[in-house]
Amino acid sequence: MATEDSSDSNCVSPGFFSFNPLRCLTPQEIHQAYGVDILHEMGLTGDGMKLVILNVYANDTAENDLQIFFCFIG
């Protein structure tokens, strides 16, 4: 079952997102864990850079997975 995220009418999340027993890290937590936050403090944020994703295993959910990521993380 899919539910619509009220913050963005284009964001649709699978129903399991309302209850997910897994502990996931936010981008900010990952930045801190790998020391990337220090680069951000220096003004190196990656703004304007492009990210290329190679779907070498032809994962048929990759596009949907990225859409969910961008809806919740931005």
Side-chain angles (χ1 to χ4, degrees), residues 27-38:
Q28 293 77 18
E29 291 171 320
I30 294 171
H31 295 165
Q32 186 177 19
Y34 286 95
V36 177
D37 54 336
I38 296 168

Side-chain angles (χ1 to χ4, degrees), residues 8-42:
D8 184 343
S9 62
N10 294 324
C11 290
V12 177
S13 68
F16 64 81
F17 270 49
S18 62
F19 173 73
N20 189 348
L22 300 177
R23 170 68 171 107
C24 299
L25 298 176
T26 65
Q28 293 77 18
E29 291 171 320
I30 294 171
H31 295 165
Q32 186 177 19
Y34 286 95
V36 177
D37 54 336
I38 296 168
L39 296 174
H40 290 176
E41 291 171 8
M42 295 170 50

